[in-house]
Amino acid sequence: MPETAVEAISAEAVTVETEAAGPATSLIPDTRQIPLSKLTASKKNVRKKSAAMTIPELASSIEAHGLIQNLTVRKAAKGNKYEVIAGSRRFAALTLLAKQGRIDKSALVPCNVRSGDDNDTEISLAENTQREAMSLVEEILGYRQLVKDGMTPETIAARFGQSIVTVRQRLKLAHLSPRILDELSEDAISLDQAKALAISDDHAAQESAWFDHRHGTGHPTAFAPC
């Protein structure tokens, strides 16, 4: 089918869908590429404590995978700067990359530009509320899939800013049975207890040791947190 015909069908489909749904409300903010050197931190960003991933780790991830989530900014009241009202950790990681010479100080950063009467603190809080942190089990399974896809533990460590020891520990935990991983996901078992069970790759042995312990027939001291 000629390309023009495909385009015509696509355009018609979009028109029909839009007409059926009525007037559409755009959820896409004003997005621009802004030089890193023109960005500055806002005092109204609500995130004060460091999350699980440190700034150096986040910097390595951004360097390897790019900035997956845009920063949210507002034009500063004075000068030619934009204040980062959401994405302070990503901004700190980008600043670290520039300071270490890993990216240019004038690198273009994708930003959602806010204007009007939006409350900066509210926007910052909303972004952090909408984003859910990845669980330990999700990280474990993600690393396991990367290894299946051919990535080495050393490469994973470098691309995600983790130590090789941490990556190898996560991959060892990936040998836990699905039932034990479910327990870990639900915080029914501690990380130290999971590491103890992961000494064996035998799923039946893992489950027998843990669930017998749960029902009082095993040896609980063997799985006490370190």
Side-chain angles (χ1 to χ4, degrees):
M1 182 182 293
E3 184 178 358
T4 51
V6 173
E7 291 174 347
I9 292 173
S10 299
E12 182 180 358
V14 171
T15 301
V16 171
E17 183 176 348
T18 303
E19 289 177 349
T25 300
S26 175
L27 299 178
I28 303 174
D30 177 12
T31 304
R32 305 179 197 172
Q33 301 280 342
I34 300 176
L36 178 60
S37 57
K38 289 190 176 183
L39 300 178
T40 186
S42 170
K43 295 180 180 179
K44 295 184 179 181
N45 194 302
V46 299
R47 186 183 286 274
K48 306 300 181 185
K49 294 178 65 178
S50 177
M53 181 181 286
T54 67
I55 298 303
E57 289 172 348
L58 182 55
S60 294
S61 179
I62 291 174
E63 184 179 32
H65 310 106
L67 188 65
I68 296 174
Q69 184 177 3
N70 294 358
L71 303 183
T72 300
V73 304
R74 180 188 296 280
K75 186 73 170 62
K78 297 181 180 179
N80 195 29
K81 296 279 189 176
Y82 288 82
E83 295 181 346
V84 178
I85 59 177
S88 61
R89 294 182 67 256
R90 279 163 279 152
F91 176 52
L94 289 166
T95 301
L96 177 62
L97 289 173
K99 182 178 180 180
Q100 294 178 343
R102 294 155 69 183
I103 63 172
D104 193 84
K105 293 181 180 179
S106 60
L108 296 178
V109 180
C111 298
N112 300 328
V113 181
R114 289 283 177 170
S115 59
D117 298 327
D118 291 336
N119 182 294
D120 291 352
T121 301
E122 180 181 358
I123 294 299
S124 176
L125 180 60
E127 188 201 63
N128 285 285
T129 301
Q130 290 176 11
R131 188 173 67 244
E132 183 176 2
M134 178 178 291
S135 72
L136 173 61
V137 172
E138 289 171 329
E139 182 181 359
I140 290 168
L141 297 179
Y143 285 176
R144 182 176 71 182
Q145 185 59 50
L146 290 177
V147 170
K148 286 183 178 179
D149 292 342
M151 193 175 292
T152 66
E154 291 77 12
T155 301
I156 294 173
R159 291 177 70 82
F160 288 90
Q162 298 277 13
S163 71
I164 185 62
V165 172
T166 297
V167 172
R168 290 193 183 280
Q169 287 176 343
R170 298 291 188 264
L171 292 173
K172 182 61 178 175
L173 292 172
H175 292 289
L176 290 169
S177 78
R179 289 185 68 196
I180 299 296
L181 285 173
D182 285 343
E183 292 280 288
L184 182 59
S185 180
E186 295 171 4
D187 294 325
I189 180 173
S190 72
L191 178 58
D192 287 326
Q193 290 168 329
K195 288 179 179 178
L197 290 171
I199 292 174
S200 169
D201 290 338
D202 187 324
H203 286 185
Q206 294 169 3
E207 293 179 8
S208 175
W210 176 248
F211 291 106
D212 285 351
H213 156 57
R214 285 282 298 274
H215 292 92
T217 58
H219 302 282
T221 54
F223 300 103
C226 298

